[in-house]
Amino acid sequence: RLSRLVGRDEIVSAIGARLQRRRFLTVVGPGGIGKTTVALAVADSLAGAYPDGVCFVDLASLSDPRLVASALASALGGGVAAADAGVAVVERMREKRMLIVLDSCEHVVEEAAVLAERLLRAAADVHVLATSREPLRADGESVQRLAPLEVPPPAPELTAAEALTFSAIELFVERAAACADGFELRDEDAPRVAEICRRLDGIALAIELVAGRVSAFGVAGIAAHLDDRFRLLTQGRRTALPRHQTLSAALDWSYEFLPEPERVILRRLSVFAGGFTLDSASAVACDDDLGSCELLDGVASLVSKSLVAVDLGGAVGIYRLLDTTRAYARAKLAKSDERERVAVYDRFREGFTSADPVTGKSRLEALGNNVS
């Protein structure tokens, strides 16, 4: 890497130790959270443990899932016919002590799972580290979900020094300083930067993109225009993968690989501004074409694919879309033939958020701000 890894030292160390014990680990998380960056850092930290080296396989560019084994063969330095690639790479790896990094498996997940299992069964000293937006669900796989970078809780008196103890703020400041010569976080800007990072859910790619716009708009300008984030966050590194050059492209990558029923569910769930239960989701999303069983399967799949987050700590599971995912899905909903759902929900929510002329409180506040 040409830039410093921010806020990931502990997880890199933990993944490295776990991989040594388990041999097969998949780093899972939503687009832009830093899965590839972490996997490369893990590989770098463990390189000395593998006498035959580390092989990085970028699967993002594959349009045909049948070429997964061929991509590995090519990365190892030997092209073979696609039909024979699986057998050839397994034979080649039998006596090797090597780490294979399979990056961006989500669109070829079944083939990547099959290849990983074959390698691990045939070669006792080969380890596999994968990255994907969902688990491979392969035999022997250990899953590590990658958490967002840390953001501070809302605090109007937050100082720059306090803010910089959180990894999301640290990344923002470091990337902003690289693009805007002389940029330093001032106390008066610290609460704004913290709010920006919170609204971007601590997603590393989104924070890097927005930090790159500081030289054009300043912190106050970015905060003012963050509602239009998909137009604002459009200038990633020229050398980055296409899906990492804009925030919209990162989400397109996930959305386009969803089956249509899951796209419908994701769009409909975007009407919730905060947490919701499965009962609430069913009331909003189900209709004659989408039953409760299909909804349950769809929500479970969206959780697995890192598009819906869930908190199972209470008596009832609380689900939510990351703010950026929600904004994206809401835009898709507004462009679909389901726009009336948006209008109905907005009218419903207006009734709950309007202040009562007597109490001065809205019905939503009276219910403890429970959006569901």
Side-chain angles (χ1 to χ4, degrees):
R1 286 183 56 82
L2 301 180
S3 55
R4 187 173 69 92
L5 183 64
V6 175
R8 297 300 194 189
D9 290 345
E10 288 187 10
I11 194 64
V12 166
S13 178
I15 289 173
R18 195 173 170 193
L19 180 63
Q20 292 290 282
R21 296 193 305 270
R22 302 296 297 270
R23 294 185 62 211
F24 178 19
L25 185 144
T26 302
V27 181
V28 173
I33 203 168
K35 299 182 294 295
T36 300
T37 299
V38 165
L40 288 172
V42 171
D44 186 55
S45 70
L46 295 178
Y50 299 98
D52 294 307
V54 177
C55 181
F56 179 83
V57 190
D58 179 12
L59 300 176
S61 60
L62 294 186
S63 57
D64 186 345
R66 294 172 296 179
L67 296 178
V68 168
S70 296
L72 173 56
S74 177
L76 288 168
V80 294
D84 304 324
V87 174
V89 295
V90 168
E91 287 301 316
R92 184 173 176 179
M93 301 299 292
R94 283 190 187 277
E95 304 302 322
K96 300 287 187 183
R97 182 168 178 77
M98 177 180 277
L99 173 61
I100 304 296
V101 181
L102 300 177
D103 187 52
S104 301
C105 296
E106 52 271 357
H107 64 305
V108 291
V109 66
E110 292 184 13
E111 292 74 12
V114 169
L115 178 62
E117 283 190 13
R118 291 181 67 183
L119 285 171
L120 293 165
R121 286 196 176 107
D125 292 323
V126 166
H127 292 186
V128 175
L129 177 61
T131 74
S132 178
R133 299 190 186 186
E134 64 176 304
L136 272 58
R137 302 209 309 268
D139 189 19
E141 177 188 29
S142 180
V143 174
Q144 175 66 60
R145 288 202 173 267
L146 192 59
L149 294 174
E150 293 181 323
V151 297
E157 303 302 321
L158 183 73
T159 66
E162 291 168 341
L164 283 167
T165 63
F166 295 86
S167 55
I169 311 296
E170 186 182 2
L171 178 64
F172 179 98
V173 171
E174 186 165 301
R175 298 298 186 261
C179 298
D181 185 36
F183 176 83
E184 293 183 0
L185 183 64
R186 303 174 301 177
D187 285 344
E188 56 264 38
D189 285 332
R192 270 199 202 100
V193 172
E195 176 64 15
I196 289 168
C197 292
R198 274 195 300 275
R199 292 187 61 190
L200 295 176
D201 304 301
I203 301 296
L205 174 63
I207 293 170
E208 290 189 351
L209 289 172
V210 80
R213 302 295 246 169
V214 167
S215 59
F217 303 111
V219 170
I222 287 172
H225 292 93
L226 203 58
D227 283 341
D228 200 12
R229 69 194 70 185
F230 295 110
R231 291 186 181 180
L232 181 67
L233 306 185
T234 58
Q235 293 194 359
R237 290 182 292 106
R238 296 183 195 278
T239 54
L241 292 169
R243 71 178 188 278
H244 288 164
Q245 292 188 11
T246 72
L247 185 59
S248 182
L251 287 161
D252 284 341
W253 176 261
S254 292
Y255 186 78
E256 289 170 2
F257 287 111
L258 293 178
E260 184 56 28
E262 292 179 21
R263 293 188 190 184
V264 170
I265 293 170
L266 186 67
R267 292 196 299 264
R268 294 178 181 179
L269 293 181
S270 70
V271 302
F272 292 105
F276 55 89
T277 65
L278 286 176
D279 286 343
S280 300
S282 180
V284 167
C286 290
D287 58 19
D288 291 342
D289 298 319
L290 182 70
S292 57
C293 290
E294 290 81 4
L295 175 76
L296 292 176
D297 288 343
V299 169
S301 182
L302 292 171
V303 169
S304 176
K305 294 172 182 176
S306 308
L307 287 167
V308 173
V310 59
D311 179 0
L312 299 175
V316 177
I318 301 297
Y319 299 79
R320 74 178 186 94
L321 274 61
L322 298 181
D323 195 47
T324 297
T325 305
R326 177 183 176 268
Y328 177 89
R330 176 91 174 200
K332 290 290 186 184
L333 180 61
K335 292 178 181 178
S336 73
D337 57 2
E338 302 169 306
R339 283 176 294 193
E340 181 57 24
R341 284 181 177 269
V342 177
V344 169
Y345 181 77
D346 284 343
R347 290 194 295 270
F348 167 80
R349 186 167 177 81
E350 177 64 25
F352 271 77
T353 55
S354 300
D356 184 281
V358 177
T359 66
K361 287 187 175 183
S362 69
R363 293 173 68 192
L364 189 62
E365 289 173 317
L367 291 171
N369 286 307
N370 186 339
V371 176
S372 299

